[in-house]
Amino acid sequence: MQSPRTSISLREGQSAVPPPRGAAASPDLAAARSAEGLGHIGLVLRSAPAILSAAGTMKDCNNGCLEECAREARSHAVMRTLKAKDLIITPATTLKEKPDPDNVVFGTVFTDHMLTIEWSSESGWEKPHIKPFQNLSLHPGSSALHYAVELFEGLKAFRGVDNKIRLFRPSLNMDRMHRSALRATLPVFDKEELMECIQQLVKLDQEWVPYSTSASLYIRPTLIGTEPSLGVKKPTKAMIFVILSPVGPYFSKGTFKPVSLWANPKFVRAWKGGTGDCKMGGNYGSSLLAQYEALDNGCQQVLWLYGEDNQITEVGTMNLFLYWINEDGEEELATPPLDGIILPGVTRQSVLDLARKWDEFKVSERHLTMGDLTTALEQSRVKEMFGTGTACVICPVSDILYKGETLHIPCMENGPKLASRILGKLTDIQYGREESDWTIIVS
């Protein structure tokens, strides 16, 4: 299939995402957002004792020059800010054949287009560009390649029963990506503007969103340091790129297969003061050895433990929930708290929000240990255990291999009623069977 090769720029103001209904940005907030484009935490100009000049040096604003510095920073920040209205679209001239979503292997097939946005400390964000899918060209000394100065996100586009394409709570992904960028000393960005660029990419490749209510289009925004130097330092160059990949159903049709877990405290996924609460590639690459040991021990995933008391943290790349009768005899849905070692998952937050709205049992973010779990199993107080994530949505747990003993979780014997109910509710929202303000309609 051939199409003419053209470049398209969105008209002024065409694609800007409006502010929340009824909200008016204050001058101070607008200034902070403008300063954010410098690649630093937003500066509230009204109270800042110092500010970056256009040359990147600090100027003392306690000497009566605050307004002058504020005007200079605002002017400079406007030049540097990522703007969706500047988006350039170069359509592909040859379109690829689309796969059967029921048979595609996760992350192996990619759509016709990608989004790239370059950044430098000298000129800020360049114009975003949607272009034909292609390899990246990187300097061999790029900081992402040597020191893992990078991060990514994962979200999905769903084709609903009404044929409309929806994104599920994408603002939570943008919030997390922004926090990860700060932690990695990578440049921050306007979250709404980036989200608008991503929506334009999905619109262009909308035929890649599977015509299925069990498949979807996976969206992978990535931010990498491209500093062409072997120095361990904050990068002066960076790039956002976004690629799309159609994915099939996590479970075979008609099945809800539970996983077995391997729990061994010799491996630790994250620690206090580290980056476990950020979505960075280093967290995943360093987990591979433990995953292969889990497979060698006959288990499918790793149950990550932490601390001397073997706190339960995450399952593989998923957040973890325990539905049980707690020590006080209360029916409770519990998940580890966001204490710095837990990734704040979008599905995790959605499960908490749903359960709290239902108000049928206690919902807690609390520490859970292997001791708590084994005691509860001995006393028949465990109902269900399941992981949550973008890929699987909900994944029940059947067994845990811990200290040479297999602990059976009676998840499937109990339905799993709660896990199935949550999965049904979330997928109803994602595929448009139920209206919700958690989704954004792309087209």
Side-chain angles (χ1 to χ4, degrees), residues 319-366:
N319 292 118
L320 179 71
F321 282 83
L322 176 64
Y323 181 45
W324 67 336
I325 303 300
N326 67 18
E327 307 92 329
D328 299 321
E330 301 167 302
E331 186 178 356
E332 179 182 51
L333 179 64
T335 191
L338 301 181
D339 58 359
I341 65 173
I342 302 296
L343 186 72
V346 174
T347 310
R348 173 190 182 276
Q349 187 59 53
S350 301
V351 171
L352 289 171
D353 291 342
L354 280 178
R356 285 169 176 155
K357 181 180 179 180
W358 293 339
D359 195 25
E360 297 173 9
F361 42 78
K362 186 175 183 179
V363 181
S364 304
E365 296 176 71
R366 52 165 288 185

mmCIF file of all heavy atoms in Angstrom, residues 319-366:
data_model
loop_
_atom_site.group_PDB
_atom_site.id
_atom_site.type_symbol
_atom_site.label_atom_id
_atom_site.label_comp_id
_atom_site.label_asym_id
_atom_site.label_seq_id
_atom_site.Cartn_x
_atom_site.Cartn_y
_atom_site.Cartn_z
ATOM 1 N N ASN A 319 2.513 -5.552 40.580
ATOM 2 C CA ASN A 319 2.171 -5.283 41.974
ATOM 3 C C ASN A 319 1.411 -6.479 42.535
ATOM 4 O O ASN A 319 0.893 -7.306 41.781
ATOM 5 C CB ASN A 319 1.315 -4.011 42.087
ATOM 6 C CG ASN A 319 2.081 -2.745 41.726
ATOM 7 O OD1 ASN A 319 1.726 -2.044 40.785
ATOM 8 N ND2 ASN A 319 3.130 -2.453 42.472
ATOM 9 N N LEU A 320 1.328 -6.568 43.856
ATOM 10 C CA LEU A 320 0.742 -7.748 44.503
ATOM 11 C C LEU A 320 -0.394 -7.356 45.444
ATOM 12 O O LEU A 320 -0.307 -6.353 46.169
ATOM 13 C CB LEU A 320 1.820 -8.484 45.301
ATOM 14 C CG LEU A 320 1.361 -9.728 46.069
ATOM 15 C CD1 LEU A 320 1.044 -10.846 45.086
ATOM 16 C CD2 LEU A 320 2.431 -10.184 47.052
ATOM 17 N N PHE A 321 -1.462 -8.164 45.423
ATOM 18 C CA PHE A 321 -2.589 -7.980 46.340
ATOM 19 C C PHE A 321 -2.865 -9.289 47.072
ATOM 20 O O PHE A 321 -2.772 -10.372 46.495
ATOM 21 C CB PHE A 321 -3.846 -7.556 45.579
ATOM 22 C CG PHE A 321 -3.869 -6.102 45.184
ATOM 23 C CD1 PHE A 321 -3.224 -5.686 44.032
ATOM 24 C CD2 PHE A 321 -4.519 -5.156 45.968
ATOM 25 C CE1 PHE A 321 -3.240 -4.359 43.662
ATOM 26 C CE2 PHE A 321 -4.528 -3.822 45.611
ATOM 27 C CZ PHE A 321 -3.892 -3.414 44.448
ATOM 28 N N LEU A 322 -3.243 -9.156 48.350
ATOM 29 C CA LEU A 322 -3.652 -10.296 49.168
ATOM 30 C C LEU A 322 -5.059 -10.029 49.694
ATOM 31 O O LEU A 322 -5.308 -9.016 50.351
ATOM 32 C CB LEU A 322 -2.685 -10.493 50.336
ATOM 33 C CG LEU A 322 -3.045 -11.599 51.344
ATOM 34 C CD1 LEU A 322 -3.032 -12.968 50.668
ATOM 35 C CD2 LEU A 322 -2.086 -11.575 52.531
ATOM 36 N N TYR A 323 -5.974 -10.936 49.385
ATOM 37 C CA TYR A 323 -7.357 -10.850 49.870
ATOM 38 C C TYR A 323 -7.512 -11.934 50.927
ATOM 39 O O TYR A 323 -7.405 -13.127 50.636
ATOM 40 C CB TYR A 323 -8.323 -11.065 48.702
ATOM 41 C CG TYR A 323 -9.785 -10.989 49.047
ATOM 42 C CD1 TYR A 323 -10.295 -9.986 49.865
ATOM 43 C CD2 TYR A 323 -10.680 -11.930 48.519
ATOM 44 C CE1 TYR A 323 -11.654 -9.921 50.154
ATOM 45 C CE2 TYR A 323 -12.031 -11.866 48.799
ATOM 46 C CZ TYR A 323 -12.506 -10.865 49.630
ATOM 47 O OH TYR A 323 -13.854 -10.804 49.922
ATOM 48 N N TRP A 324 -7.743 -11.522 52.178
ATOM 49 C CA TRP A 324 -7.698 -12.458 53.292
ATOM 50 C C TRP A 324 -8.536 -11.981 54.459
ATOM 51 O O TRP A 324 -9.146 -10.901 54.412
ATOM 52 C CB TRP A 324 -6.259 -12.663 53.723
ATOM 53 C CG TRP A 324 -5.590 -11.418 54.358
ATOM 54 C CD1 TRP A 324 -5.918 -10.102 54.188
ATOM 55 C CD2 TRP A 324 -4.476 -11.425 55.245
ATOM 56 N NE1 TRP A 324 -5.086 -9.282 54.904
ATOM 57 C CE2 TRP A 324 -4.181 -10.057 55.567
ATOM 58 C CE3 TRP A 324 -3.685 -12.417 55.809
ATOM 59 C CZ2 TRP A 324 -3.130 -9.698 56.427
ATOM 60 C CZ3 TRP A 324 -2.642 -12.039 56.651
ATOM 61 C CH2 TRP A 324 -2.375 -10.714 56.951
ATOM 62 N N ILE A 325 -8.553 -12.781 55.497
ATOM 63 C CA ILE A 325 -9.067 -12.356 56.795
ATOM 64 C C ILE A 325 -7.832 -12.002 57.616
ATOM 65 O O ILE A 325 -6.979 -12.864 57.872
ATOM 66 C CB ILE A 325 -9.870 -13.475 57.489
ATOM 67 C CG1 ILE A 325 -11.026 -13.950 56.581
ATOM 68 C CG2 ILE A 325 -10.406 -12.991 58.827
ATOM 69 C CD1 ILE A 325 -12.023 -12.873 56.231
ATOM 70 N N ASN A 326 -7.708 -10.748 57.976
ATOM 71 C CA ASN A 326 -6.470 -10.307 58.631
ATOM 72 C C ASN A 326 -6.392 -10.741 60.091
ATOM 73 O O ASN A 326 -7.274 -11.439 60.614
ATOM 74 C CB ASN A 326 -6.284 -8.791 58.478
ATOM 75 C CG ASN A 326 -7.340 -7.977 59.235
ATOM 76 O OD1 ASN A 326 -8.020 -8.476 60.137
ATOM 77 N ND2 ASN A 326 -7.482 -6.708 58.876
ATOM 78 N N GLU A 327 -5.339 -10.296 60.777
ATOM 79 C CA GLU A 327 -5.083 -10.704 62.167
ATOM 80 C C GLU A 327 -6.208 -10.306 63.111
ATOM 81 O O GLU A 327 -6.389 -10.921 64.170
ATOM 82 C CB GLU A 327 -3.766 -10.092 62.661
ATOM 83 C CG GLU A 327 -2.565 -10.366 61.766
ATOM 84 C CD GLU A 327 -2.352 -9.281 60.726
ATOM 85 O OE1 GLU A 327 -3.366 -8.680 60.285
ATOM 86 O OE2 GLU A 327 -1.192 -9.029 60.357
ATOM 87 N N ASP A 328 -6.947 -9.266 62.739
ATOM 88 C CA ASP A 328 -8.041 -8.789 63.589
ATOM 89 C C ASP A 328 -9.393 -9.360 63.187
ATOM 90 O O ASP A 328 -10.439 -8.893 63.658
ATOM 91 C CB ASP A 328 -8.092 -7.251 63.533
ATOM 92 C CG ASP A 328 -6.808 -6.617 64.037
ATOM 93 O OD1 ASP A 328 -6.240 -7.139 65.022
ATOM 94 O OD2 ASP A 328 -6.366 -5.613 63.447
ATOM 95 N N GLY A 329 -9.372 -10.344 62.289
ATOM 96 C CA GLY A 329 -10.619 -10.979 61.877
ATOM 97 C C GLY A 329 -11.406 -10.195 60.845
ATOM 98 O O GLY A 329 -12.576 -10.500 60.597
ATOM 99 N N GLU A 330 -10.763 -9.206 60.203
ATOM 100 C CA GLU A 330 -11.453 -8.375 59.215
ATOM 101 C C GLU A 330 -11.192 -8.899 57.797
ATOM 102 O O GLU A 330 -10.083 -9.321 57.477
ATOM 103 C CB GLU A 330 -10.947 -6.931 59.298
ATOM 104 C CG GLU A 330 -11.133 -6.270 60.649
ATOM 105 C CD GLU A 330 -10.340 -4.971 60.740
ATOM 106 O OE1 GLU A 330 -9.107 -5.005 60.557
ATOM 107 O OE2 GLU A 330 -10.960 -3.921 60.991
ATOM 108 N N GLU A 331 -12.219 -8.843 56.988
ATOM 109 C CA GLU A 331 -12.034 -9.134 55.571
ATOM 110 C C GLU A 331 -11.284 -7.962 54.946
ATOM 111 O O GLU A 331 -11.727 -6.807 55.064
ATOM 112 C CB GLU A 331 -13.394 -9.319 54.901
ATOM 113 C CG GLU A 331 -13.339 -9.773 53.455
ATOM 114 C CD GLU A 331 -14.725 -9.984 52.873
ATOM 115 O OE1 GLU A 331 -15.720 -9.847 53.629
ATOM 116 O OE2 GLU A 331 -14.819 -10.261 51.664
ATOM 117 N N GLU A 332 -10.153 -8.237 54.307
ATOM 118 C CA GLU A 332 -9.272 -7.150 53.884
ATOM 119 C C GLU A 332 -8.617 -7.456 52.532
ATOM 120 O O GLU A 332 -8.226 -8.590 52.251
ATOM 121 C CB GLU A 332 -8.181 -6.946 54.937
ATOM 122 C CG GLU A 332 -7.167 -5.844 54.609
ATOM 123 C CD GLU A 332 -6.076 -5.722 55.669
ATOM 124 O OE1 GLU A 332 -5.462 -6.761 56.015
ATOM 125 O OE2 GLU A 332 -5.839 -4.603 56.142
ATOM 126 N N LEU A 333 -8.514 -6.420 51.712
ATOM 127 C CA LEU A 333 -7.693 -6.462 50.505
ATOM 128 C C LEU A 333 -6.480 -5.587 50.785
ATOM 129 O O LEU A 333 -6.607 -4.386 51.009
ATOM 130 C CB LEU A 333 -8.466 -5.930 49.296
ATOM 131 C CG LEU A 333 -7.680 -5.900 47.979
ATOM 132 C CD1 LEU A 333 -7.303 -7.316 47.535
ATOM 133 C CD2 LEU A 333 -8.467 -5.185 46.885
ATOM 134 N N ALA A 334 -5.308 -6.208 50.797
ATOM 135 C CA ALA A 334 -4.094 -5.494 51.197
ATOM 136 C C ALA A 334 -3.054 -5.545 50.088
ATOM 137 O O ALA A 334 -2.944 -6.534 49.346
ATOM 138 C CB ALA A 334 -3.516 -6.099 52.473
ATOM 139 N N THR A 335 -2.271 -4.480 49.984
ATOM 140 C CA THR A 335 -1.161 -4.412 49.040
ATOM 141 C C THR A 335 -0.047 -3.610 49.707
ATOM 142 O O THR A 335 -0.317 -2.726 50.526
ATOM 143 C CB THR A 335 -1.594 -3.754 47.716
ATOM 144 O OG1 THR A 335 -0.562 -3.928 46.731
ATOM 145 C CG2 THR A 335 -1.875 -2.271 47.870
ATOM 146 N N PRO A 336 1.218 -3.912 49.421
ATOM 147 C CA PRO A 336 2.317 -3.170 50.035
ATOM 148 C C PRO A 336 2.228 -1.671 49.749
ATOM 149 O O PRO A 336 1.794 -1.268 48.654
ATOM 150 C CB PRO A 336 3.564 -3.793 49.396
ATOM 151 C CG PRO A 336 3.139 -5.182 49.048
ATOM 152 C CD PRO A 336 1.709 -5.056 48.623
ATOM 153 N N PRO A 337 2.635 -0.839 50.695
ATOM 154 C CA PRO A 337 2.532 0.611 50.537
ATOM 155 C C PRO A 337 3.607 1.162 49.607
ATOM 156 O O PRO A 337 4.634 0.522 49.372
ATOM 157 C CB PRO A 337 2.730 1.121 51.968
ATOM 158 C CG PRO A 337 3.652 0.109 52.584
ATOM 159 C CD PRO A 337 3.230 -1.215 51.999
ATOM 160 N N LEU A 338 3.372 2.356 49.106
ATOM 161 C CA LEU A 338 4.346 3.040 48.256
ATOM 162 C C LEU A 338 5.393 3.701 49.149
ATOM 163 O O LEU A 338 5.350 4.902 49.407
ATOM 164 C CB LEU A 338 3.642 4.070 47.369
ATOM 165 C CG LEU A 338 2.564 3.525 46.431
ATOM 166 C CD1 LEU A 338 1.954 4.649 45.599
ATOM 167 C CD2 LEU A 338 3.110 2.424 45.535
ATOM 168 N N ASP A 339 6.329 2.899 49.612
ATOM 169 C CA ASP A 339 7.333 3.374 50.559
ATOM 170 C C ASP A 339 8.694 3.595 49.918
ATOM 171 O O ASP A 339 9.701 3.717 50.611
ATOM 172 C CB ASP A 339 7.467 2.381 51.716
ATOM 173 C CG ASP A 339 7.848 0.978 51.243
ATOM 174 O OD1 ASP A 339 7.985 0.788 50.018
ATOM 175 O OD2 ASP A 339 8.016 0.094 52.093
ATOM 176 N N GLY A 340 8.736 3.636 48.591
ATOM 177 C CA GLY A 340 9.987 3.882 47.897
ATOM 178 C C GLY A 340 10.544 2.672 47.180
ATOM 179 O O GLY A 340 11.403 2.816 46.309
ATOM 180 N N ILE A 341 10.058 1.470 47.512
ATOM 181 C CA ILE A 341 10.546 0.269 46.833
ATOM 182 C C ILE A 341 9.467 -0.372 45.966
ATOM 183 O O ILE A 341 9.727 -1.373 45.315
ATOM 184 C CB ILE A 341 11.100 -0.766 47.835
ATOM 185 C CG1 ILE A 341 9.998 -1.302 48.750
ATOM 186 C CG2 ILE A 341 12.235 -0.178 48.650
ATOM 187 C CD1 ILE A 341 10.465 -2.454 49.640
ATOM 188 N N ILE A 342 8.286 0.212 45.954
ATOM 189 C CA ILE A 342 7.159 -0.329 45.178
ATOM 190 C C ILE A 342 6.874 0.596 44.001
ATOM 191 O O ILE A 342 6.787 1.823 44.161
ATOM 192 C CB ILE A 342 5.894 -0.452 46.053
ATOM 193 C CG1 ILE A 342 6.157 -1.344 47.264
ATOM 194 C CG2 ILE A 342 4.719 -0.962 45.233
ATOM 195 C CD1 ILE A 342 6.478 -2.782 46.939
ATOM 196 N N LEU A 343 6.718 0.015 42.809
ATOM 197 C CA LEU A 343 6.339 0.811 41.650
ATOM 198 C C LEU A 343 4.860 1.181 41.749
ATOM 199 O O LEU A 343 4.013 0.306 41.950
ATOM 200 C CB LEU A 343 6.578 0.018 40.365
ATOM 201 C CG LEU A 343 6.359 0.796 39.076
ATOM 202 C CD1 LEU A 343 7.482 1.802 38.862
ATOM 203 C CD2 LEU A 343 6.254 -0.136 37.877
ATOM 204 N N PRO A 344 4.531 2.462 41.636
ATOM 205 C CA PRO A 344 3.115 2.873 41.703
ATOM 206 C C PRO A 344 2.387 2.543 40.411
ATOM 207 O O PRO A 344 2.245 3.374 39.518
ATOM 208 C CB PRO A 344 3.207 4.387 41.946
ATOM 209 C CG PRO A 344 4.519 4.789 41.364
ATOM 210 C CD PRO A 344 5.442 3.619 41.535
ATOM 211 N N GLY A 345 1.912 1.309 40.310
ATOM 212 C CA GLY A 345 1.279 0.837 39.091
ATOM 213 C C GLY A 345 -0.079 1.480 38.839
ATOM 214 O O GLY A 345 -0.831 1.776 39.779
ATOM 215 N N VAL A 346 -0.389 1.676 37.571
ATOM 216 C CA VAL A 346 -1.685 2.244 37.190
ATOM 217 C C VAL A 346 -2.803 1.256 37.515
ATOM 218 O O VAL A 346 -3.855 1.641 38.039
ATOM 219 C CB VAL A 346 -1.688 2.602 35.693
ATOM 220 C CG1 VAL A 346 -3.079 3.066 35.252
ATOM 221 C CG2 VAL A 346 -0.651 3.685 35.410
ATOM 222 N N THR A 347 -2.584 -0.033 37.215
ATOM 223 C CA THR A 347 -3.599 -1.029 37.549
ATOM 224 C C THR A 347 -3.729 -1.165 39.059
ATOM 225 O O THR A 347 -4.844 -1.327 39.581
ATOM 226 C CB THR A 347 -3.255 -2.390 36.922
ATOM 227 O OG1 THR A 347 -2.962 -2.205 35.534
ATOM 228 C CG2 THR A 347 -4.414 -3.366 37.065
ATOM 229 N N ARG A 348 -2.619 -1.124 39.776
ATOM 230 C CA ARG A 348 -2.644 -1.150 41.249
ATOM 231 C C ARG A 348 -3.560 -0.059 41.782
ATOM 232 O O ARG A 348 -4.424 -0.310 42.628
ATOM 233 C CB ARG A 348 -1.229 -0.957 41.798
ATOM 234 C CG ARG A 348 -1.149 -0.803 43.318
ATOM 235 C CD ARG A 348 0.256 -0.371 43.734
ATOM 236 N NE ARG A 348 0.384 -0.260 45.188
ATOM 237 C CZ ARG A 348 0.046 0.803 45.916
ATOM 238 N NH1 ARG A 348 -0.490 1.867 45.305
ATOM 239 N NH2 ARG A 348 0.192 0.809 47.218
ATOM 240 N N GLN A 349 -3.366 1.181 41.298
ATOM 241 C CA GLN A 349 -4.179 2.294 41.773
ATOM 242 C C GLN A 349 -5.641 2.103 41.410
ATOM 243 O O GLN A 349 -6.541 2.430 42.193
ATOM 244 C CB GLN A 349 -3.661 3.609 41.185
ATOM 245 C CG GLN A 349 -4.337 4.858 41.745
ATOM 246 C CD GLN A 349 -4.159 4.968 43.247
ATOM 247 O OE1 GLN A 349 -3.038 4.903 43.745
ATOM 248 N NE2 GLN A 349 -5.260 5.123 43.971
ATOM 249 N N SER A 350 -5.886 1.537 40.242
ATOM 250 C CA SER A 350 -7.262 1.332 39.797
ATOM 251 C C SER A 350 -7.973 0.292 40.656
ATOM 252 O O SER A 350 -9.159 0.446 40.983
ATOM 253 C CB SER A 350 -7.267 0.901 38.325
ATOM 254 O OG SER A 350 -6.641 1.882 37.515
ATOM 255 N N VAL A 351 -7.256 -0.773 41.045
ATOM 256 C CA VAL A 351 -7.840 -1.784 41.929
ATOM 257 C C VAL A 351 -8.180 -1.166 43.281
ATOM 258 O O VAL A 351 -9.274 -1.400 43.831
ATOM 259 C CB VAL A 351 -6.868 -2.972 42.103
ATOM 260 C CG1 VAL A 351 -7.369 -3.923 43.187
ATOM 261 C CG2 VAL A 351 -6.696 -3.717 40.786
ATOM 262 N N LEU A 352 -7.261 -0.373 43.820
ATOM 263 C CA LEU A 352 -7.533 0.297 45.093
ATOM 264 C C LEU A 352 -8.744 1.220 44.986
ATOM 265 O O LEU A 352 -9.607 1.245 45.876
ATOM 266 C CB LEU A 352 -6.301 1.091 45.539
ATOM 267 C CG LEU A 352 -5.086 0.281 46.004
ATOM 268 C CD1 LEU A 352 -3.884 1.200 46.209
ATOM 269 C CD2 LEU A 352 -5.400 -0.466 47.301
ATOM 270 N N ASP A 353 -8.807 1.983 43.904
ATOM 271 C CA ASP A 353 -9.917 2.923 43.724
ATOM 272 C C ASP A 353 -11.252 2.194 43.612
ATOM 273 O O ASP A 353 -12.261 2.618 44.199
ATOM 274 C CB ASP A 353 -9.683 3.786 42.482
ATOM 275 C CG ASP A 353 -8.522 4.758 42.644
ATOM 276 O OD1 ASP A 353 -8.116 5.011 43.794
ATOM 277 O OD2 ASP A 353 -8.020 5.266 41.623
ATOM 278 N N LEU A 354 -11.268 1.104 42.851
ATOM 279 C CA LEU A 354 -12.508 0.334 42.704
ATOM 280 C C LEU A 354 -12.952 -0.245 44.045
ATOM 281 O O LEU A 354 -14.119 -0.129 44.433
ATOM 282 C CB LEU A 354 -12.305 -0.801 41.708
ATOM 283 C CG LEU A 354 -12.357 -0.476 40.217
ATOM 284 C CD1 LEU A 354 -12.081 -1.740 39.410
ATOM 285 C CD2 LEU A 354 -13.695 0.128 39.833
ATOM 286 N N ALA A 355 -12.012 -0.900 44.756
ATOM 287 C CA ALA A 355 -12.358 -1.563 46.010
ATOM 288 C C ALA A 355 -12.837 -0.557 47.055
ATOM 289 O O ALA A 355 -13.767 -0.844 47.823
ATOM 290 C CB ALA A 355 -11.148 -2.340 46.531
ATOM 291 N N ARG A 356 -12.223 0.596 47.080
ATOM 292 C CA ARG A 356 -12.653 1.625 48.047
ATOM 293 C C ARG A 356 -14.018 2.182 47.680
ATOM 294 O O ARG A 356 -14.821 2.505 48.555
ATOM 295 C CB ARG A 356 -11.595 2.729 48.117
ATOM 296 C CG ARG A 356 -10.353 2.299 48.896
ATOM 297 C CD ARG A 356 -9.194 3.256 48.757
ATOM 298 N NE ARG A 356 -8.070 2.832 49.600
ATOM 299 C CZ ARG A 356 -6.806 3.129 49.380
ATOM 300 N NH1 ARG A 356 -6.475 3.863 48.313
ATOM 301 N NH2 ARG A 356 -5.852 2.705 50.197
ATOM 302 N N LYS A 357 -14.292 2.269 46.392
ATOM 303 C CA LYS A 357 -15.611 2.734 45.961
ATOM 304 C C LYS A 357 -16.682 1.714 46.325
ATOM 305 O O LYS A 357 -17.789 2.078 46.744
ATOM 306 C CB LYS A 357 -15.594 2.983 44.454
ATOM 307 C CG LYS A 357 -16.913 3.501 43.900
ATOM 308 C CD LYS A 357 -16.831 3.739 42.401
ATOM 309 C CE LYS A 357 -18.162 4.231 41.851
ATOM 310 N NZ LYS A 357 -18.098 4.463 40.376
ATOM 311 N N TRP A 358 -16.377 0.424 46.180
ATOM 312 C CA TRP A 358 -17.331 -0.622 46.539
ATOM 313 C C TRP A 358 -17.613 -0.620 48.041
ATOM 314 O O TRP A 358 -18.742 -0.903 48.464
ATOM 315 C CB TRP A 358 -16.806 -1.992 46.110
ATOM 316 C CG TRP A 358 -16.730 -2.186 44.632
ATOM 317 C CD1 TRP A 358 -17.422 -1.492 43.672
ATOM 318 C CD2 TRP A 358 -15.909 -3.126 43.925
ATOM 319 N NE1 TRP A 358 -17.083 -1.941 42.411
ATOM 320 C CE2 TRP A 358 -16.170 -2.951 42.538
ATOM 321 C CE3 TRP A 358 -14.999 -4.100 44.324
ATOM 322 C CZ2 TRP A 358 -15.526 -3.712 41.562
ATOM 323 C CZ3 TRP A 358 -14.370 -4.862 43.348
ATOM 324 C CH2 TRP A 358 -14.629 -4.670 41.988
ATOM 325 N N ASP A 359 -16.603 -0.351 48.847
ATOM 326 C CA ASP A 359 -16.754 -0.236 50.303
ATOM 327 C C ASP A 359 -17.402 -1.482 50.915
ATOM 328 O O ASP A 359 -18.295 -1.403 51.752
ATOM 329 C CB ASP A 359 -17.576 1.012 50.642
ATOM 330 C CG ASP A 359 -17.458 1.388 52.124
ATOM 331 O OD1 ASP A 359 -16.441 1.027 52.756
ATOM 332 O OD2 ASP A 359 -18.390 2.029 52.640
ATOM 333 N N GLU A 360 -16.939 -2.658 50.473
ATOM 334 C CA GLU A 360 -17.510 -3.913 50.974
ATOM 335 C C GLU A 360 -16.588 -4.625 51.949
ATOM 336 O O GLU A 360 -17.003 -5.559 52.633
ATOM 337 C CB GLU A 360 -17.815 -4.837 49.789
ATOM 338 C CG GLU A 360 -18.865 -4.273 48.843
ATOM 339 C CD GLU A 360 -19.017 -5.124 47.596
ATOM 340 O OE1 GLU A 360 -18.435 -6.237 47.570
ATOM 341 O OE2 GLU A 360 -19.714 -4.691 46.652
ATOM 342 N N PHE A 361 -15.318 -4.224 51.994
ATOM 343 C CA PHE A 361 -14.342 -4.819 52.890
ATOM 344 C C PHE A 361 -13.234 -3.801 53.113
ATOM 345 O O PHE A 361 -13.152 -2.773 52.415
ATOM 346 C CB PHE A 361 -13.779 -6.124 52.311
ATOM 347 C CG PHE A 361 -13.480 -6.048 50.832
ATOM 348 C CD1 PHE A 361 -12.343 -5.417 50.347
ATOM 349 C CD2 PHE A 361 -14.364 -6.605 49.908
ATOM 350 C CE1 PHE A 361 -12.075 -5.334 48.999
ATOM 351 C CE2 PHE A 361 -14.105 -6.524 48.540
ATOM 352 C CZ PHE A 361 -12.955 -5.886 48.086
ATOM 353 N N LYS A 362 -12.383 -4.059 54.053
ATOM 354 C CA LYS A 362 -11.284 -3.159 54.362
ATOM 355 C C LYS A 362 -10.268 -3.170 53.224
ATOM 356 O O LYS A 362 -9.938 -4.226 52.678
ATOM 357 C CB LYS A 362 -10.606 -3.580 55.668
ATOM 358 C CG LYS A 362 -9.537 -2.620 56.160
ATOM 359 C CD LYS A 362 -9.002 -3.053 57.520
ATOM 360 C CE LYS A 362 -7.982 -2.058 58.063
ATOM 361 N NZ LYS A 362 -7.484 -2.465 59.405
ATOM 362 N N VAL A 363 -9.782 -2.000 52.856
ATOM 363 C CA VAL A 363 -8.776 -1.866 51.812
ATOM 364 C C VAL A 363 -7.563 -1.166 52.423
ATOM 365 O O VAL A 363 -7.684 -0.063 52.954
ATOM 366 C CB VAL A 363 -9.311 -1.062 50.610
ATOM 367 C CG1 VAL A 363 -8.239 -0.951 49.521
ATOM 368 C CG2 VAL A 363 -10.575 -1.715 50.049
ATOM 369 N N SER A 364 -6.408 -1.828 52.372
ATOM 370 C CA SER A 364 -5.237 -1.312 53.072
ATOM 371 C C SER A 364 -3.993 -1.319 52.198
ATOM 372 O O SER A 364 -3.793 -2.219 51.383
ATOM 373 C CB SER A 364 -4.941 -2.152 54.321
ATOM 374 O OG SER A 364 -6.047 -2.207 55.188
ATOM 375 N N GLU A 365 -3.162 -0.313 52.402
ATOM 376 C CA GLU A 365 -1.799 -0.301 51.886
ATOM 377 C C GLU A 365 -0.914 -0.487 53.108
ATOM 378 O O GLU A 365 -0.750 0.425 53.916
ATOM 379 C CB GLU A 365 -1.514 1.013 51.161
ATOM 380 C CG GLU A 365 -2.376 1.217 49.924
ATOM 381 C CD GLU A 365 -2.165 2.560 49.258
ATOM 382 O OE1 GLU A 365 -1.092 2.778 48.654
ATOM 383 O OE2 GLU A 365 -3.072 3.411 49.364
ATOM 384 N N ARG A 366 -0.367 -1.688 53.256
ATOM 385 C CA ARG A 366 0.328 -2.059 54.482
ATOM 386 C C ARG A 366 1.422 -3.074 54.167
ATOM 387 O O ARG A 366 1.417 -3.742 53.142
ATOM 388 C CB ARG A 366 -0.654 -2.678 55.485
ATOM 389 C CG ARG A 366 -1.486 -3.816 54.911
ATOM 390 C CD ARG A 366 -2.179 -4.630 55.974
ATOM 391 N NE ARG A 366 -1.243 -5.459 56.732
ATOM 392 C CZ ARG A 366 -1.602 -6.336 57.655
ATOM 393 N NH1 ARG A 366 -2.899 -6.523 57.936
ATOM 394 N NH2 ARG A 366 -0.712 -7.047 58.313
#
